[in-house]
Amino acid sequence: MTHCASCHGVDGYAQPDARYASIVGLSSIRRVKTDALVGVIAFGAKGAFNTAPKMPGFSKDVSPAQIASITNYVRVTFGGLPNSDVSAADVTRVIKEKS
Ligand code: HEC
């Protein structure tokens, strides 16, 4: 709600008046390997679409444990996966590798 719903909507289908793409059911959030998704949440997305503002990164404002929870929430709620077990340690590793 605080960090994501302003662009993506509470239900993941994006705000009606924003030109953001829906993130519901994306293959990128259903992958077994979650590093790319964690990277998008930590560092933002440049954007394949011509949207403004672009997705910001959250690694400065949101703790690794919270990013892990958000990642798991996105995968289960919008990805339709039965479960997701990204940990704070996974997030810390991705942030180290990608920054
Ligand atoms: C300022 C608007 C904005 C905010 C805030 C925002 N996003 Fe995004 N997000 C975008 C845009 C724009 C894209 C599309 C990037 C593209 O074109 O692939 C995107 C893409 C995504 C994707 C798809 C990435 C992919 O690789 O396919 C996911 C998942 C996502 N956002 C999750 C989140 C989460 C979780 C949060 C909150 C922690 C968040 N977003 C906050 C704008 C936003």
Side-chain angles (χ1 to χ4, degrees), residues 1-8 19-24 26-29 31 36-37 40-42 44-58 62 66-67 70-71 73-75 78:
M1 281 300 285
T2 311
H3 298 293
C4 319
S6 55
C7 293
H8 292 293
R19 291 179 301 146
Y20 298 125
S22 166
I23 60 169
V24 177
L26 283 183
S27 59
S28 58
I29 68 178
R31 289 196 186 107
L37 175 58
V40 166
I41 297 172
K46 280 199 205 77
F49 303 104
N50 187 19
T51 53
K54 309 217 171 299
M55 178 165 162
F58 293 90
V62 181
Q66 286 175 307
I67 291 180
I70 292 170
T71 305
Y73 178 83
V74 164
R75 299 184 80 231
F78 305 137

